Amino acid sequence: MARFQNKGTAQSSQGDKEPVYRDCVKQCVRTNCTGARLRGFQSAQPQYMALTGWTCRDDCRYQCMWTTVGLYQAEGYRVPQFHGKWPFARFLCFEEPASALASLLNGLACLLMLLRYRSTVPRQSPMYHTINAFSLVSLNAWFWSTVFHTRDTYLTEKMDYFCATAVILYSIYLCCVRTLGLRRPGVSSMVGVLLILAFTSHVSYLTFISFDYGYNMAANASIGMVNLLWWLCWCWQNRRTLPYWWKCGLVVLLLHGLALLELLDFPPLLWVLDAHAVWHLSTIPVHFLFYSFLIDDSLYLLNTEKMGVKVE
């Protein structure tokens, strides 16, 4: 999903500010991206590259990026970023292969556990439909994360960021329904309306006013902290009555702890594996623990409802 750092496609970085890089791109575009040379490039370009939107100019930027990286390394300088991102070795049409693969695996883990949830938990369980909706929101976010890391464009970047925010906000709603909404449906409905308004305002600001990476990071981190504290309070209150409470507590702690991997922000190992990819890879097993909690809790709620016991 979306990075915590300022990684926008339009953002300027040290590498793309270098005159050698800019001159290289201008010369490459002038030489290769017009007339017969351009037609030759298009006829030789693999279909999968054309379908994912790679243009002659994009190829020039890619080649000139490595030319500049080579000069930096030859002079003993630290590898620079280009357009807000580290240089990655492209694999087929995948711009960031490790992050794209990790996003895909997260999505597959989420889908697998959703199917297990549906096959294990009856539809009559009070949280069944809310958890299904949360899973679909999550799957959508991992889909766009995979697309974005495959091909970084204006559209795919926005969809990655917005869908990641949608997951965080829906996590708040899921928490609200479980902790308050089963006894007070009106409360969860009001919270749901407020979260929709917050999401609409957030997307509108980033789309029509300013795509502020710092603001986006602060907003998501703040919402995530609310989610963390809310779930932990519920876990603590129910630690004596729910034997599976620790799964929920461990999941929220892991998700927020693993997010700190983003702060490492090192140049990609072998030009493929950076801190963002490591973060995404580390979250794959968390899906299995989280859905194990959701299954246990949904079955508990179903049983207590049948027995007429008050839900905690």
Side-chain angles (χ1 to χ4, degrees), residues 152 201 241 248-249 251 273:
D152 182 352
S201 300
T241 56
C248 176
V251 164
L273 191 67

Side-chain angles (χ1 to χ4, degrees), residues 265-292:
D265 198 28
F266 51 83
L269 300 175
L270 302 177
W271 306 117
V272 172
L273 191 67
D274 70 332
H276 189 73
V278 172
W279 172 40
H280 276 347
L281 288 168
S282 68
T283 60
I284 296 171
V286 180
H287 293 281
F288 298 94
L289 182 60
F290 183 49
Y291 276 88
S292 176

Side-chain angles (χ1 to χ4, degrees), residues 60-136:
C60 283
R61 289 171 60 172
Y62 180 76
Q63 300 300 333
C64 291
M65 175 185 73
W66 290 115
T67 300
T68 307
V69 168
L71 293 174
Y72 264 72
Q73 290 183 312
E75 295 295 329
Y77 294 117
R78 188 171 185 263
V79 174
Q81 292 190 350
F82 294 80
H83 304 285
K85 302 170 69 172
W86 293 111
F88 290 93
R90 189 174 63 196
F91 175 71
L92 299 178
C93 60
F94 296 93
E95 197 167 348
E96 299 177 40
S99 289
L101 176 62
S103 297
L104 177 62
L105 292 176
N106 272 281
L108 289 175
C110 183
L111 177 60
L112 175 64
M113 294 310 294
L114 171 61
L115 295 176
R116 181 176 298 179
Y117 179 87
R118 288 180 172 180
S119 65
T120 306
V121 178
R123 295 174 63 89
Q124 293 76 23
S125 179
M127 289 292 294
Y128 183 90
H129 297 292
T130 304
I131 290 172
N132 270 273
F134 171 76
S135 300
L136 294 177

Side-chain angles (χ1 to χ4, degrees), residues 28-185:
C28 178
V29 171
R30 187 181 304 116
T31 303
N32 300 309
C33 299
T34 56
R37 289 286 186 90
L38 176 60
R39 290 191 292 274
F41 169 83
Q42 293 171 335
S43 62
Q45 186 183 37
Q47 192 66 26
Y48 58 81
M49 294 292 285
L51 290 174
T52 48
W54 284 94
T55 65
C56 181
R57 174 179 286 275
D58 293 330
D59 202 61
C60 283
R61 289 171 60 172
Y62 180 76
Q63 300 300 333
C64 291
M65 175 185 73
W66 290 115
T67 300
T68 307
V69 168
L71 293 174
Y72 264 72
Q73 290 183 312
E75 295 295 329
Y77 294 117
R78 188 171 185 263
V79 174
Q81 292 190 350
F82 294 80
H83 304 285
K85 302 170 69 172
W86 293 111
F88 290 93
R90 189 174 63 196
F91 175 71
L92 299 178
C93 60
F94 296 93
E95 197 167 348
E96 299 177 40
S99 289
L101 176 62
S103 297
L104 177 62
L105 292 176
N106 272 281
L108 289 175
C110 183
L111 177 60
L112 175 64
M113 294 310 294
L114 171 61
L115 295 176
R116 181 176 298 179
Y117 179 87
R118 288 180 172 180
S119 65
T120 306
V121 178
R123 295 174 63 89
Q124 293 76 23
S125 179
M127 289 292 294
Y128 183 90
H129 297 292
T130 304
I131 290 172
N132 270 273
F134 171 76
S135 300
L136 294 177
V137 172
S138 298
L139 284 170
N140 178 63
W142 286 118
F143 168 78
W144 281 107
S145 179
T146 304
V147 172
F148 170 62
H149 292 304
T150 299
R151 185 71 177 99
D152 182 352
T153 67
Y154 177 85
L155 174 62
T156 61
E157 181 188 42
K158 300 296 181 291
M159 292 303 297
D160 178 48
Y161 277 76
F162 296 161
C163 292
T165 300
V167 172
I168 297 172
L169 288 171
Y170 203 99
S171 297
I172 292 282
Y173 180 70
L174 178 69
C175 181
C176 178
V177 172
R178 177 58 185 91
T179 59
L180 298 175
L182 296 179
R183 287 173 294 171
R184 304 180 184 89

Side-chain angles (χ1 to χ4, degrees), residues 168 172 215-228 256:
I168 297 172
I172 292 282
Y215 155 73
N216 183 73
M217 179 184 70
N220 286 335
S222 299
I223 299 167
M225 189 57 63
V226 172
N227 195 38
L228 168 69
H256 287 79

Side-chain angles (χ1 to χ4, degrees), residues 186-240:
V187 173
S188 59
S189 297
M190 287 191 297
V191 170
V193 171
L194 290 175
L195 291 174
I196 291 173
L197 292 175
F199 180 72
T200 303
S201 300
H202 181 76
V203 171
S204 298
Y205 175 79
L206 292 176
T207 303
F208 302 113
I209 299 177
S210 171
F211 199 86
D212 187 328
Y213 295 89
Y215 155 73
N216 183 73
M217 179 184 70
N220 286 335
S222 299
I223 299 167
M225 189 57 63
V226 172
N227 195 38
L228 168 69
L229 296 175
W230 196 338
W231 273 121
L232 288 180
C233 288
W234 178 84
C235 290
W236 181 257
Q237 291 174 350
N238 291 277
R239 69 191 186 281
R240 300 188 189 279

